[in-house]
Amino acid sequence: IDIKNFEPEYLTPAGKVNAVNCITFLLDWKNKNITSEDIEKNIEKEFNKDPFNTVDMKKLWSFEELSDGTLTLTNYKGNEKDIFIPERIGKKTVTQLSDDLFGPKDKNGKNKSPERKAFLKEINSVSLSSEINRIGDFAFAWCENLTEISLPDSVVYLGESAFFNCISLESVRLSESL
């Protein structure tokens, strides 16, 4: 993008928000539609955004709504190795982890890609919110580097072989709330 009379101080705040906004700011600058007030409003909006908003959570998780209006997580799409299970997505509470959530198969029983299976083996730790009450069968199966998990006392169902082949698991912390 060739921009004449561009003032570089606009690039830093834009970059702090994210790359997409940065490009938007640059294009708006080129079209002479941006003001420093616009930049500040956009940054404030990002800062005050709900960390559990549905749009951002869909980038990290696949989920399904249950008959009681709560959610079950069905797939982790993120790339963090220390994972916190969200207490809610949007306005709906997350109460369950599906079968094979971090395991080698998807919710339909099909094998995940070799790259994804390799990544899931590298997960180090998982913290569950105090809303989780069910952990599905094989939910963490083959998470070979999982060394630590925090389970709230709200968990009333722990699925068959939920921690199958979690050969590095050293600590299962039980807590009232996280």
Side-chain angles (χ1 to χ4, degrees):
I1 301 173
D2 182 26
I3 301 173
K4 294 181 171 74
N5 301 322
F6 177 69
E7 297 179 35
E9 66 268 13
Y10 289 122
L11 184 58
T12 301
K16 288 180 181 175
V17 174
N18 65 37
V20 173
N21 282 348
C22 184
I23 292 168
T24 302
F25 290 146
L26 290 173
L27 291 173
D28 283 346
W29 177 265
K30 182 177 180 185
N31 295 326
K32 308 282 190 238
N33 294 330
I34 192 169
T35 66
S36 59
E37 187 177 297
D38 293 334
I39 293 172
E40 289 176 22
K41 283 181 184 176
N42 209 358
I43 290 171
E44 185 175 342
K45 180 181 168 187
E46 274 299 306
F47 183 75
N48 291 323
K49 185 169 61 171
D50 178 3
F52 300 111
N53 72 75
T54 305
V55 172
D56 287 345
M57 287 287 116
K58 281 185 176 181
K59 294 174 188 173
L60 294 175
W61 301 98
S62 294
F63 49 90
E64 294 176 351
E65 187 170 349
L66 301 168
S67 60
D68 65 359
T70 63
L71 301 175
T72 183
L73 298 179
T74 58
N75 186 35
Y76 177 62
K77 300 184 278 188
N79 58 12
E80 295 294 322
K81 293 181 181 177
D82 296 304
I83 300 168
F84 179 77
I85 303 294
E87 65 186 46
R88 63 185 170 83
I89 295 178
K91 295 182 180 186
K92 303 210 180 266
T93 304
V94 176
T95 59
Q96 298 185 16
L97 307 182
S98 73
D99 296 347
D100 294 303
L101 177 62
F102 296 100
K105 298 184 183 254
D106 66 19
K107 68 178 184 166
N108 300 318
K110 294 183 180 179
N111 285 327
K112 293 178 182 172
S113 73
E115 296 82 16
R116 195 64 189 160
K117 285 195 278 189
F119 168 78
L120 294 170
K121 286 182 179 186
E122 299 300 317
I123 292 172
N124 297 319
S125 67
V126 179
S127 296
L128 281 66
S129 78
S130 60
E131 303 297 328
I132 299 296
N133 59 38
R134 182 186 189 284
I135 298 174
D137 300 342
F138 298 93
F140 298 94
W142 298 98
C143 290
E144 295 176 1
N145 281 349
L146 182 64
T147 58
E148 179 181 327
I149 187 160
S150 296
L151 299 177
D153 62 2
S154 58
V155 175
V156 295
Y157 177 83
L158 185 60
E160 178 183 335
S161 300
F163 297 100
F164 180 75
N165 205 42
C166 292
I167 57 177
S168 300
L169 192 57
E170 299 170 355
S171 172
V172 176
R173 291 184 296 139
L174 302 176
S175 61
E176 290 183 31
S177 63
L178 300 172

